[in-house]
Amino acid sequence: MSALLKPLLDAPPPDSHWAASAVAGPETGPLDGSVRVDVAVVGAGITGLSTAIHLAEQGVCVAVLEAREPGFGGSGRNNGQIIPTLSRLDPANLTAAYGEAKGSALARMVGGSAALVFDLIERYQMRCDGVQKGWIQPAHRPGRMAAAEQRVAQWRALGAEVALLDAAQTERALGTRFWHGAMVAPTGGHVNPLSLAREMARAALGLGVAIHSDTPVVSIARAGTGWTLTTPRGGVTADRVVVATNAYTDDLWPGLRRSVVPVLNFQMVTEPLPAALRASVLPSDMACSDTRGDLHFFRWTADNRLVSGCTLVRSADAERRARERTRERIRRVFPQIGNPAIARSWSGHLAMTADFRPHFHELAPGVTGAVGYNGRGMALGTAVGRELARHATGTGAPELALPFTPVKPLPFHDLVTRFSRLYMLHLRRLDRRD
Ligand SMILES: Cc1cc2nc3c(=O)[nH]c(=O)nc-3n(C[C@H](O)[C@H](O)[C@H](O)COP(=O)(O)OP(=O)(O)OC[C@H]3O[C@@H](n4cnc5c(N)ncnc54)[C@H](O)[C@@H]3O)c2cc1C
């Protein structure tokens, strides 16, 4: 592997519950030789694969080039929550940032993103343990209910199907008195994320897309009116290129890696829990992530395990401390579980941005990219992929839901990355306020 690629791409895939339980990935192999396509996609996560599917549905010739294997990045190791909102930003934040028309278009895209995921699952019969029973964001302080009310009003004004639950309704949905009310998005839900990535790859292959695994792209260079992508054993010439590498972005495109901060997040599953607990904990089977900055998140698996996790401030002895912190959290939120046995834990990197917005770029004429989903890329990346596909087939930037902005590398990026976890202390402080 080229020295250009940074260590995140060198690490072995995580020994996750998803890896142990996902459907097998389709047969793919490295690119050997030279090919020509209409569109080359770099990265076989949810964003790249959605781009490829939406392009191939229109008869476009596509190659996806993946350094490792489909779902190797965030897409295969996350909590699997399908969430039709952004992290920490509401529609009003988007219109304030991008103007009424673009901000509303982006918000509508986000609001419809979970439905899009489940539509794709249905259309291609993807075997990914998809459960569309809603996503719930419970308020961790009574004072946060005012914000939840405003959030619900904003999403409703855009036509999104969301609801507000009071404390009693929230308790019935979640099986705990830990929270004070909630916003619910019924189009949300949860999946086995690695299965979803692999099934998206299978769907793309079925549409004629070429997917090359173990094929890191080491350079993208202009070639006439198009682009040439160089890989260790071959090359691709394409009219258009989509860079969909998010937190696992390397130095392939100048400045892109330094425009996001990769933040390590731990995930874990309990041993299977008895049926009585399954009936009393999260009885609604919704995907749940609360209003904290130090997010408390929970969901069931198909085989009765609770999936949760946390982000740590200190890196010493991290895996053990993450397990302890998460067990303690489960005990506090769902006391009926008692002391849960953790069967497996793993980790992955989120791409955070300084303004909490996802960043969409026209990197050069014919080259686009999307990074910085701030931990909400499963539904968002799917919708972004559809938009990037529209752009690659000639829809102009003004017609897209994506506001393209220039790449802005963060000053002192290495330092910021190294100390990014300290930001969690700030978030925890904010969590103690209304
Ligand atoms: C622990 C964790 C929990 C999360 N929980 C949730 C959740 O519950 N819900 C949610 O919506 N989001 C969640 N997220 C975020 C979500 O996983 C991501 O936002 C999403 O998967 C991003 O998808 P992507 O396709 O853009 O990028 P990725 O899935 O990261 O894919 C990028 C791919 O690009 C490849 N690549 C990189 N460089 C190159 C190169 N030079 N050449 C070829 N290939 C390259 C990588 O190998 C990788 O496979 C979580 C993330 C983590 C890490």
Side-chain angles (χ1 to χ4, degrees):
M1 188 170 285
S2 157
L4 184 71
L5 298 176
K6 68 193 189 85
L8 282 190
L9 284 178
D10 288 343
D15 180 22
S16 70
H17 173 69
W18 310 129
S21 61
V23 296
E27 286 282 310
T28 56
L31 174 68
D32 220 339
S34 299
V35 294
R36 203 202 173 290
V37 293
D38 298 327
V39 182
V41 176
V42 186
I46 294 301
T47 307
L49 293 167
S50 170
T51 308
I53 288 173
H54 286 101
L55 283 168
E57 283 179 339
Q58 297 173 65
V60 177
C61 176
V62 187
V64 178
L65 306 168
E66 164 56 49
R68 304 293 297 272
E69 60 193 28
F72 170 80
S75 297
R77 47 181 98 196
N78 62 65
N79 199 256
Q81 300 204 13
I82 304 300
I83 305 174
T85 71
L86 295 179
S87 168
R88 301 170 68 81
L89 297 180
D90 294 329
N93 302 114
L94 300 181
T95 49
Y98 304 115
E100 190 57 39
K102 202 56 142 185
S104 302
L106 177 58
R108 276 201 193 85
M109 183 199 86
V110 172
S113 59
L116 176 65
V117 172
F118 286 103
D119 284 351
L120 280 177
I121 290 173
E122 174 70 23
R123 193 180 331 153
Y124 292 101
Q125 294 293 297
M126 295 179 187
R127 299 158 301 155
C128 62
D129 295 331
V131 174
Q132 193 180 21
K133 292 189 178 168
W135 170 71
I136 185 164
Q137 185 184 42
H140 73 281
R141 292 173 65 86
R144 295 291 177 112
M145 279 307 285
E149 268 171 44
Q150 281 180 18
R151 186 166 297 139
V152 164
Q154 288 180 34
W155 282 111
R156 279 196 181 149
L158 289 167
E161 196 192 332
V162 291
L164 197 68
L165 304 190
D166 63 22
Q169 292 166 318
T170 303
E171 182 185 343
R172 280 198 293 281
L174 300 179
T176 170
R177 292 189 176 158
F178 188 71
W179 290 292
H180 305 277
M183 165 172 146
V184 168
T187 55
H190 53 82
V191 297
N192 175 326
L194 184 58
S195 287
L196 179 63
R198 288 176 174 175
E199 287 288 86
M200 284 178 80
R202 181 183 59 76
L205 287 167
L207 290 164
V209 172
I211 300 180
H212 298 288
S213 49
D214 297 312
T215 302
V217 177
V218 292
S219 72
I220 303 176
R222 259 185 205 287
T225 56
W227 297 88
T228 294
L229 294 85
T230 307
T231 70
R233 286 159 56 182
V236 176
T237 309
D239 298 329
R240 305 253 184 172
V241 179
V242 173
V243 180
T245 49
N246 202 40
Y248 292 77
T249 298
D250 57 13
D251 289 319
L252 180 61
W253 195 272
L256 196 58
R257 178 177 69 80
R258 287 181 294 117
S259 70
V260 295
V261 178
V263 172
L264 188 69
N265 180 264
F266 289 89
Q267 298 285 312
M268 55 205 74
V269 286
T270 62
E271 294 289 355
L273 293 170
L277 280 178
R278 171 94 204 209
S280 90
V281 170
L282 294 183
S284 58
D285 203 4
M286 287 193 254
C288 167
S289 24
D290 77 359
T291 46
R292 285 177 173 80
D294 183 9
L295 203 64
H296 286 33
F297 53 89
F298 307 93
R299 52 151 297 184
W300 283 111
T301 62
D303 64 348
N304 299 335
R305 299 166 191 268
L306 207 56
V307 197
S308 188
C310 63
T311 299
L312 297 176
V313 174
R314 287 182 298 115
S315 55
D317 197 14
E319 184 106 14
R320 187 195 61 76
R321 286 177 40 247
R323 282 182 176 231
E324 274 322 302
R325 192 175 181 84
T326 304
R327 288 176 84 205
E328 189 272 328
R329 193 172 278 182
I330 293 174
R331 280 198 300 274
R332 217 166 2 104
V333 180
F334 301 108
Q336 62 270 49
I337 294 182
N339 213 6
I342 301 296
R344 209 182 277 266
S345 56
W346 66 97
S347 62
H349 285 81
L350 315 167
M352 304 300 286
T353 57
D355 54 13
F356 299 111
R357 298 180 204 148
H359 294 175
F360 312 112
H361 305 298
E362 194 163 15
L363 297 164
V367 184
T368 56
V371 293
Y373 296 153
N374 292 276
R376 288 276 163 93
M378 291 300 281
L380 177 62
T382 308
V384 168
R386 184 173 63 179
E387 289 298 287
L388 295 178
R390 287 179 66 215
H391 185 257
T393 48
T395 303
E399 274 73 57
L400 295 180
L402 309 179
F404 284 135
T405 55
V407 176
K408 280 202 194 134
L410 286 165
F412 311 110
H413 180 265
D414 288 354
L415 216 59
V416 172
T417 299
R418 182 166 302 183
F419 293 109
S420 61
R421 277 178 290 191
L422 292 179
Y423 189 66
M424 186 50 69
L425 293 175
H426 173 61
L427 291 179
R428 287 179 192 158
R429 218 177 7 253
L430 292 183
D431 287 343
R432 291 196 285 276
R433 297 193 203 144
D434 286 332

